Amino acid sequence: MRKASKLAFAVSCMTMAMSGIAHAGGHYVPGVEGIQAASVPPPGKYYLGYLVNYNIDKIDGAPGQNDGTVTALANRFVWITNQKFLGADYGLEAIVPLQSTSFTFNGIGYSGSSRGLGDVFLGPVVLGWHGSNWDSVFALGLWFDNGDFSATNPSSVGKGYKSTMWTLGGTVYPDSAKTWSISALARYEQNGKQDQTGITPGDGLSIEWGIGKQIGGGKQLGLVGYYQKQTTKDSGPGALPVKPSKSAIGVQFDYPLMEHGVILKFAGYHEVSSNSDAKGNLFRVTLIKVF
């Protein structure tokens, strides 16, 4: 690879962390779901607050010391109605993220931070099925490009493009008492063109999994993980032929406060592999409020 190409590749690797926690999948942040990730709750109104902190240790393929921190509060509102469609409970959802980013990319001489409202998600289709020992979900929605974005600012809180996100997953309960659960949730993002650059980011696949065990009093403990990969190449002027990917493993602990209608979920992930993408650790606290 020529020197100019190497430099372009290095800049691309570092800007993959731009305006979000990960580039490989697009808007969606893997690691926000885990145990029973594919189980839709019964009819009702819910608030889910995901407080996520992601610390970048390195960026694969980029020269110099590069690190950063992304902290986000994703406010998710879910309404599962009493209506049925194809035998499933029908619902809809919205996600409103607030984000703070701080990056130091010594390889390109950048150091800066941004904070503000990130790109909003609206999901008019959420379908949840429930069997005697299984759950499944299908969902469809759109990420908007409302967040502040600048092609010259790697810490922008917006992506600068829209994405259509498809969701499919399932949970199985191996024992009749449902004390064990095994879940997998896949999200596929079809990304639109980034107007400021003319580049259309490649599509992305995110898979989250969890194996959980009830340990009494509604508390739950288990192993969780995720895999995220860009499935198609970026296209447009200056686009490079890289398809980033990463994977992580971690633990999750759920603690219910049923007298308050609240469930708290704590999780920590360590990214064990990264190909042309950021690599680090992710910590999450989720608050679920039932109305």
Side-chain angles (χ1 to χ4, degrees):
M1 185 182 290
R2 292 176 304 171
K3 185 175 181 180
S5 298
K6 288 182 178 180
L7 178 59
F9 175 71
V11 172
S12 175
C13 287
M14 284 182 278
T15 54
M16 282 171 185
M18 181 187 305
S19 60
I21 291 181
H23 173 84
H27 284 86
Y28 184 70
V29 178
V32 296
E33 306 291 355
I35 297 174
Q36 293 176 284
S39 297
V40 174
K45 297 180 177 67
Y46 303 85
Y47 166 77
L48 299 89
Y50 304 88
L51 181 60
V52 179
N53 180 263
Y54 179 62
N55 291 292
I56 298 172
D57 294 332
K58 62 176 290 187
I59 300 178
D60 181 58
Q65 182 177 354
N66 306 288
D67 55 48
T69 300
V70 181
T71 302
L73 174 61
N75 300 284
R76 184 182 181 192
F77 305 91
V78 180
W79 178 26
I80 305 300
T81 71
N82 290 310
Q83 303 300 313
K84 294 284 188 178
F85 182 74
L86 298 177
D89 294 330
Y90 168 75
L92 55 163
E93 63 179 333
I95 301 174
V96 180
L98 301 174
Q99 187 170 303
S100 173
T101 62
S102 177
F103 295 145
T104 298
F105 297 153
N106 291 318
I108 58 174
Y110 172 85
S111 179
S113 61
S114 298
R115 64 179 59 186
L117 175 68
D119 294 338
V120 170
F121 175 81
L122 295 180
V125 177
V126 178
L127 299 176
W129 291 266
H130 306 282
S132 59
N133 66 339
W134 59 270
D135 301 314
S136 63
V137 62
F138 170 83
L140 175 64
L142 177 69
W143 288 99
F144 290 85
D145 56 353
N146 60 280
D148 185 49
F149 170 78
S150 171
T152 61
N153 181 13
S155 66
S156 296
V157 295
K159 290 283 189 181
Y161 58 87
K162 297 181 179 69
S163 300
T164 300
M165 186 168 75
W166 303 77
T167 298
L168 183 66
T171 301
V172 295
Y173 303 93
D175 61 322
S176 58
K178 294 186 176 182
T179 62
W180 284 93
S181 66
I182 302 172
S183 184
L185 183 72
R187 300 191 191 268
Y188 192 84
E189 292 179 82
Q190 296 172 299
N191 300 317
K193 184 170 72 172
Q194 198 172 55
D195 290 335
Q196 288 192 27
T197 64
I199 292 176
T200 300
D203 295 347
L205 173 67
S206 301
I207 299 175
E208 299 176 87
W209 58 268
I211 302 173
K213 177 70 170 71
Q214 297 282 348
I215 56 175
K219 295 185 286 293
Q220 194 165 202
L221 182 66
L223 290 175
V224 291
Y226 59 78
Y227 172 75
Q228 189 176 60
K229 178 177 177 60
Q230 184 173 319
T231 59
T232 62
K233 297 176 183 178
D234 295 354
S235 61
L240 293 175
V242 293
K243 294 193 292 184
S245 65
K246 62 170 63 183
S247 62
I249 191 169
V251 294
Q252 178 175 319
F253 173 65
D254 298 349
Y255 188 85
L257 299 170
M258 300 312 297
E259 65 273 20
H260 302 292
V262 169
I263 300 174
L264 296 175
K265 299 186 176 186
F266 307 89
Y269 296 79
H270 174 66
E271 290 180 339
V272 295
S273 68
S274 173
N275 179 22
S276 302
D277 207 341
K279 183 179 181 182
N281 299 293
L282 184 145
F283 301 94
R284 164 178 55 88
V285 178
T286 305
L287 183 148
I288 302 174
K289 172 63 179 176
V290 183
F291 295 97

